[in-house]
Amino acid sequence: DVKVTQSSRYLVKRTGEKVFLECVQDMDHENMFWYRQDPGLGLRLIYFSYDVKMKEKGDIPEGYSVSREKKERFSLILESASTNQTSMYLCASSSRTRGVHEQFFGPGTRLTVL
Amino acid sequence: GIQVEQSPPDLILQEGANSTLRCNFSDSVNNLQWFHQNPWGQLINLFYIPSGTKQNGRLSATTVATERYSLLYISSSQTTDSGVYFCAVGGGFGNEKLTFGTGTRLTIIP
């Protein structure tokens, strides 16, 4: 079974703090993704990565950065958290080379910025 | 980019009823997935179905790629089927990111 894990289920931070959200997958997938989900706006892609040290902006990258130093780990970084970054953050992974590009999601992190 | 529309936005049914959820998309796709989001927020994979028909127990799905729509069928609904169902599509190799629809909220009443 594919397993995608995220470092925290719930997180509370203060405005201006630097926040790290970690995601780890155990299926040797090349692709990894970060989405955020907000009521009325659905799921939106923040950043994705096709390979180690490679990253591409999604639809809403402003205020975020990412890091992928190892194939199994993809980190989302909020350099200076703001209240409008309060959201549900979902990480996903998929294979790039096996012909089937099904994405699998982690349990999500509910981030509250006060 | 690809547009994804789901209907209906909300559906309330009695336990035991059948339902059909629809997903329309605006361009050709190489990836189409159906998810169920549970009350804790996790997205559960239901089907990977860029074309054709699949069945898994009481759930089945059909994608008609040439007409750009997919249907999710739920038969003999149970209260545990309640939640939000998402359709998501992707363009394939070199463009593997998913675009999500806004979901159908299904409520099953005992």
Side-chain angles (χ1 to χ4, degrees), chain A residues 1-15:
Chain A
D1 265 0
V2 175
K3 188 128 179 160
V4 181
T5 57
Q6 295 183 228
S7 49
S8 306
R9 293 301 304 273
Y10 299 93
L11 206 53
V12 179
K13 295 292 182 181
R14 298 224 173 258
T15 301

Side-chain angles (χ1 to χ4, degrees), chain A:
Chain A
D1 265 0
V2 175
K3 188 128 179 160
V4 181
T5 57
Q6 295 183 228
S7 49
S8 306
R9 293 301 304 273
Y10 299 93
L11 206 53
V12 179
K13 295 292 182 181
R14 298 224 173 258
T15 301
E17 282 193 78
K18 189 168 187 175
V19 181
F20 293 86
L21 302 182
E22 303 283 336
C23 175
V24 177
Q25 51 92 5
D26 67 356
M27 281 300 293
D28 202 34
H29 283 166
E30 295 81 10
N31 299 329
M32 296 189 75
F33 307 84
W34 276 107
Y35 298 85
R36 65 177 281 177
Q37 183 177 20
D38 301 288
L41 296 175
L43 279 92
R44 295 176 291 167
L45 182 65
I46 306 171
Y47 266 98
F48 59 102
S49 170
Y50 290 139
D51 203 351
V52 175
K53 295 192 185 295
M54 182 274 178
K55 61 188 178 186
E56 289 199 24
K57 294 179 181 180
D59 300 318
I60 50 164
E62 296 79 17
Y64 303 94
S65 62
V66 290
S67 172
R68 191 156 181 212
E69 296 296 318
K70 294 186 177 182
K71 189 175 185 179
E72 67 270 19
R73 188 180 297 269
F74 192 35
S75 302
L76 180 69
I77 304 157
L78 288 65
E79 295 288 343
S80 177
S82 64
T83 55
N84 63 11
Q85 292 178 310
T86 291
S87 186
M88 173 70 144
Y89 291 87
L90 291 154
C91 174
S93 72
S94 69
S95 171
R96 185 170 172 80
T97 58
R98 299 174 200 169
V100 172
H101 306 297
E102 184 175 4
Q103 283 192 26
F104 296 87
F105 282 77
T109 296
R110 291 191 185 273
L111 173 67
T112 302
V113 182
L114 301 175

